[in-house]
Amino acid sequence: MSVLVYLEHADGVVDDSSLQALTFARSLAGAAPQAAVCAWVEVPRALSAALAEHSVGTLYVAEAEVFASYAPRALAEAVAELAERLGATAIVGPGTERGNEVLAHVAALTEQPFAANCVAVAVSSGETHVTRVRWGGSLLEEARLAGSPALLTVQPHAIVVETTGDATPAVETFAPALSEAAESLRVVERVGDASGGVSLADAKVVVSGGRGTGSTEGFAVVEELAGLLGAAVGCSRAVTMAGWRPHTDQVGQTGTKIAPDLYVACGISGATQHLAGCKGAKAILVINSDPEAPILASADYAVIGDLHAILPALSEAIRAARS
Ligand SMILES: Cc1cc2nc3c(=O)[nH]c(=O)nc-3n(C[C@H](O)[C@H](O)[C@H](O)COP(=O)(O)OP(=O)(O)OC[C@H]3O[C@@H](n4cnc5c(N)ncnc54)[C@H](O)[C@@H]3O)c2cc1C
């Protein structure tokens, strides 16, 4: 198959979800060379070298002023144009919110069906068969994807990035023919992140608070521990619904899906919609006053008690151990 992979980047660094998509795409492309597309105002010289270990045949870089910010329709038009020129039989992207949005636009432009959040793919007798995550992770669906090119995104954190090969891909830039509509849909302003720098999606440690924190002020003990651990602060939907934290902090089915080395869940009961966002964590520490809380079934470690007593004690112990 001729597979085109849509890559996302931040300041010239391809993100992990896109590298996962590249690994996934190899299972579809077999030994055939892959092409990747990113969009830039300028070509970052270091990028092709960074992709050397990911078996990218050619790195196609779409260049246009509109790509200075996120512009999903323009990205989709560039990807669709390139796919047609290359005769791509599949387009694979990261299953991030933006990756899914761009591929949805590609689907609309090419009038092809689109399978989001895939974890496996196989082609037999010319048909593409996918396994994909549905209903916030509570269901794995096996589906047959009709049409060409096959449009897929890859469930974040479901695929371990594998490196292979050591050949810097050739870089080819092109100026896509963008419609007027493409230019009208783009990010025009960014507002600072309240979490203070550590990205929730990529953090190695996340300390989350639920309704058990009791209030906006109740998060002070969560923030204190997160600060000591260099962690990102997360929360449950009960918290965002109450207005104690912004939606950007929410972990779960309708929030951010995370896969940190350690997830500390404080005063969170463990609803399936919450667990859908954190079950990729390598270890889960639960702090909850209820010994029957459902989240304990997912815990590797647990402390039963009042988080307002336990978290300050934990922070104090960390400080003492470091002094
Ligand atoms: C379509 C849909 C999508 C959803 N998406 C999400 C999502 O993305 N993310 C999400 O989180 N939820 C989501 N939800 C909501 C979800 O079903 C739960 O309602 C929510 O996760 C509950 O939040 P919570 O655990 O903080 O609160 P609760 O369920 O009220 O649990 C509070 C917990 O705190 C403990 N506690 C109380 N006081 C203390 C204390 N002092 N010390 C220690 N522990 C204490 C209690 O024992 C309890 O276990 C969704 C729901 C729907 C219907």
Side-chain angles (χ1 to χ4, degrees):
M1 283 186 99
S2 165
V3 181
L4 180 64
V5 181
Y6 164 63
L7 301 178
E8 290 181 330
H9 69 94
D11 299 326
V13 178
V14 174
D15 64 26
D16 256 11
S17 300
S18 293
L19 296 179
Q20 291 158 21
L22 270 175
T23 296
F24 179 92
R26 279 202 293 276
S27 66
L28 192 57
Q34 299 169 43
V37 62
C38 312
W40 255 280
V41 183
E42 290 173 24
V43 184
R45 296 293 160 203
L47 184 75
S48 58
L51 291 173
E53 293 183 330
H54 296 277
S55 288
V56 172
T58 302
L59 174 65
Y60 294 91
V61 180
E63 290 185 326
E65 198 61 43
V66 68
F67 297 140
S69 63
Y70 174 63
R73 168 79 186 218
L75 288 165
E77 289 188 8
V79 170
E81 178 188 310
L82 183 62
E84 188 177 359
R85 172 156 65 89
L86 299 176
T89 49
I91 304 175
V92 176
T96 55
E97 283 186 18
R98 289 184 169 189
N100 282 331
E101 185 177 23
V102 170
L103 265 285
H105 278 283
V106 174
L109 289 166
T110 58
E111 298 187 340
Q112 296 298 325
F114 158 44
N117 302 326
C118 297
V119 294
V121 63
V123 178
S124 66
S125 310
E127 289 185 337
T128 306
H129 297 263
V130 297
T131 306
R132 62 181 186 141
V133 175
R134 301 293 306 271
W135 295 359
S138 57
L139 177 75
L140 280 180
E141 176 190 83
E142 292 190 352
R144 185 164 52 87
L145 189 61
S148 181
L151 305 179
L152 318 169
T153 58
V154 182
Q155 170 77 359
H157 309 303
I159 306 288
V160 177
V161 174
E162 287 171 14
T163 54
T164 172
D166 187 15
T168 304
V171 179
E172 187 183 316
T173 60
F174 69 106
L178 301 176
S179 68
E180 269 184 41
E183 310 263 345
S184 62
L185 187 60
R186 64 191 168 87
V187 171
V188 292
E189 188 190 0
R190 288 173 195 275
V191 179
D193 180 354
S195 68
V198 188
S199 147
L200 184 58
D202 300 325
K204 295 288 178 208
V205 181
V206 174
V207 184
S208 261
R211 203 194 307 268
T213 55
S215 64
T216 305
E217 294 72 32
F219 262 81
V221 288
V222 174
E223 283 177 342
E224 183 185 28
L225 179 63
L228 285 165
L229 296 176
V233 173
C235 70
S236 69
R237 186 156 107 162
V239 167
T240 53
M241 295 290 277
W244 300 343
R245 303 287 299 188
H247 181 262
T248 46
D249 284 2
Q250 185 178 312
V251 172
Q253 178 183 331
T254 46
T256 303
K257 294 177 183 61
I258 60 173
D261 292 340
L262 175 65
Y263 184 58
V264 187
C266 314
I268 294 174
S269 61
T272 51
Q273 296 92 349
H274 185 81
L275 294 175
C278 62
K279 65 183 178 188
K282 293 194 181 69
I284 297 181
L285 163 63
V286 166
I287 298 170
N288 200 299
S289 53
D290 177 6
E292 305 292 329
I295 198 168
L296 289 164
S298 307
D300 296 283
Y301 310 94
V303 183
I304 305 301
D306 183 352
L307 69 88
H308 294 290
I310 292 162
L311 290 184
L314 200 49
S315 295
E316 193 46 48
I318 291 170
R319 275 198 207 90
R322 286 178 181 169
S323 63

